[in-house]
Amino acid sequence: FYTGAVESLLTGSITAWFGNTTAQDHEALSRVVRTAEKISRSSFPNITDINNKPCRTRTKIIVKDSYTTVSSNQVF
């Protein structure tokens, strides 16, 4: 339970803030993730992977929706 809660918190926070961070912020976030790994005694993905997964998922949804919209418009 604890590991899932920590990973969820990190994922939400990193996804929300990652795009507007500097290299110094990336290093600080990496330290937070490493500390969370030590506390929970588990392994988390690196911060880039944490950020990219939701972005890829959202992109797939947008592309799928765009394809459906374009196909519908071509029929009518």
Side-chain angles (χ1 to χ4, degrees):
F1 170 76
Y2 182 74
T3 302
V6 170
E7 187 171 0
S8 177
L9 178 67
L10 287 173
T11 301
S13 299
I14 289 172
T15 301
W17 300 326
F18 190 79
N20 294 324
T21 57
T22 63
Q24 186 178 9
D25 294 334
H26 286 208
E27 183 56 36
L29 284 170
S30 292
R31 283 193 305 270
V32 169
V33 170
R34 285 193 303 268
T35 301
E37 287 175 334
K38 289 176 186 175
I39 292 169
S40 66
R41 296 182 183 169
S42 62
S43 167
F44 296 123
N46 66 41
I47 61 172
T48 304
D49 292 340
I50 291 172
N51 181 61
N52 288 345
K53 185 177 178 183
C55 290
R56 280 191 216 113
T57 302
R58 183 70 182 144
T59 301
K60 287 178 184 177
I61 291 169
I62 291 170
V63 168
K64 182 179 176 184
D65 186 50
S66 296
Y67 177 74
T68 304
T69 304
V70 169
S71 297
S72 300
N73 290 336
Q74 290 176 351
V75 172
F76 297 105

